[in-house]
């Protein structure tokens, strides 16, 4: 009886066996090195993850464009901050680049491939023209947070990029595959003061400067719609007509799902020395839209971001079955873990993650309140000062990373955010 011939070279290794090799590699970085061995391993079945292979742990993105894994080891990637690029923000597994001329693009740091967003800057420029505070000189630094509706590799969907701009006064939305973009104003009624004038303000004054029912605090795509969370825990939604995004009146604007609660504040004072700042996030998790409250202890007269410490989290699910909707408090994440950051947040099934992730836990980064340019003058004291892992079950906080890794990252004196590598 004839037997199948054995592979004559590593290039002929069957895809299912190659998938098993990938399964037992400790990190995605090792998987990328494996694919660099030969062309067949980079293409076809070798380029796809084995069905049993768990998703990789996130990496850390540095503000200089570098990437490191959770062991502190640098990841080989294309230079993000190249000539003509003013800055960038992490967007899941991509980098959102802002160019010197105000233009925007998405870039894969692992492959170096980029995707221009030619109309987004124009849409943002129109929002700046309508602002009583900002003008075109702010076009490069106006992006607060950027999110992506779906993977660029998903040919069945039309991915959208949404960005909070101008301290939450507007949202810019662009198609990734078509040259269409719009901006939607929150119709703010309160005028902001300049960043220079705010430098000497107390924490309460700084928060008051940016609060208001119309200011967006976070955004998230959920079931094909864009949701926006206000500072007073109101929730708005907009359903976008992707095929007609660039047409006038293509969107009715944001509609209320959950009304603002005036009792919700940013600063809570309990006596002279007991003060808390509450920061809120919006995260999609296992088919649910969640709001996460982060309670941070702030010493009297301290500058935000210097000495504040996170003490607890609260998680709420948006109940959209009623009108108006409501927030329902949760005591579990259903076996998931949330990686929380100012630029990029994501929920993952903890039991499916390679490398070990605690269930019902929140992995949180240091909250940055000031311009990242502070690090250039040596004022970035500790980029991991207020970071850790919060267990929602028992309320305990443990270190985010081993001390040896934390020490290595502190030496870089750069702000960090999450980066979620995709196996592409």
């Amino acid at each position: 009886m004839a037997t199948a011939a054995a592979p004559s070279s590593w290039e002929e290794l069957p895809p299912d066996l190659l998938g098993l090799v990938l399964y037992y590699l400790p990190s995605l970085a090792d998987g990328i090195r494996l694919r660099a061995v030969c062309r067949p391993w980079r293409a076809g079945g070798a380029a796809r993850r084995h069905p049993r292979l768990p998703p990789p742990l996130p990496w850390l993105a540095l503000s200089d464009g570098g990437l490191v894994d959770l062991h502190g080891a640098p990841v080989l990637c294309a230079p993000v901050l190249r000539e003509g690029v003013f800055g960038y923000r992490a967007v899941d597994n991509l980098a959102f680049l802002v160019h010197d001329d105000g233009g925007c693009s998405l870039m894969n740091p692992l492959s170096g491939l980029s995707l221009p967003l030619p109309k987004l800057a124009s849409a943002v420029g129109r929002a700046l023209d309508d602002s009583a505070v900002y003008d075109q000189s702010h076009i490069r630094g106006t992006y607060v947070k950027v999110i992506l509706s779906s993977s660029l590799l998903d040919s069945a969907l039309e991915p959208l990029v949404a960005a909070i701009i101008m301290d939450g006064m507007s949202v810019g939305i662009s198609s990734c595959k078509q040259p269409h973009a719009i901006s939607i104003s929150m119709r703010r009624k309160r005028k902001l003061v300049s960043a220079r004038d705010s430098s000497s303000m107390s924490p309460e004054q700084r928060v008051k400067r940016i609060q208001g029912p119309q200011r967006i605090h976070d955004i998230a795509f959920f079931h094909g719609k864009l949701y926006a969370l206000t500072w007073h825990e109101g929730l708005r939604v907009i359903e976008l007509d992707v095929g007609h995004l660039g047409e006038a009146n293509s969107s009715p604007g944001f509609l209320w799902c959950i009304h603002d609660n005036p009792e919700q504040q940013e600063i809570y004072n309990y006596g002279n020395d007991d003060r808390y700042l509450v920061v809120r996030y919006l995260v999609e998790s296992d088919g649910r839209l969640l709001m996460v409250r982060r309670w941070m202890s702030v010493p009297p007269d301290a500058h935000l971001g210097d000495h504040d410490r996170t003490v607890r989290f609260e998680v709420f699910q948006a109940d959209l079955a009623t009108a108006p909707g409501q927030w329902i408090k949760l005591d579990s994440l259903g076996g998931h873990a949330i990686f929380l950051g100012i630029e990029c947040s994501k929920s993952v099934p903890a039991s499916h993650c390679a490398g070990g992730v605690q269930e019902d836990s929140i992995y949180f980064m240091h909250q940055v309140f000031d311009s990242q340019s502070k690090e250039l003058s040596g004022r970035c004291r500790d980029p991991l000062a207020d970071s850790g892992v919060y267990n929602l079950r028992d309320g305990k906080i443990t270190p985010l990373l081993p001390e040896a890794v934390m020490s290595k990252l502190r030496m870089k004196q750069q702000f960090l955010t999450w980066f979620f590598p995709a196996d592409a």
Side-chain angles (χ1 to χ4, degrees), residues 14-83:
D16 56 341
L17 294 180
L18 186 59
L20 286 174
V21 174
L22 283 168
Y23 180 81
Y24 289 105
L25 289 176
S27 72
L28 181 62
D30 292 322
I32 294 172
R33 296 185 186 100
L34 180 143
R35 290 182 180 82
V37 171
C38 59
R39 181 174 297 177
W41 287 17
R42 291 193 296 272
R48 295 188 294 271
R49 297 188 69 80
H50 190 273
R52 294 172 50 202
L53 191 62
L57 291 175
W59 293 338
L60 303 175
L62 285 69
S63 54
D64 66 359
L67 296 172
V68 297
D69 62 22
L70 294 190
H71 301 290
V75 177
L76 182 63
C77 63
V80 173
L81 297 181
R82 56 186 70 180
E83 184 178 356

Side-chain angles (χ1 to χ4, degrees), residues 60 72 106 110 127 160 194 215 242 373 377-378 404:
L60 303 175
L106 289 169
L110 299 181
L160 294 175
S194 69
R215 183 176 185 266
V242 178
S373 63
S377 60

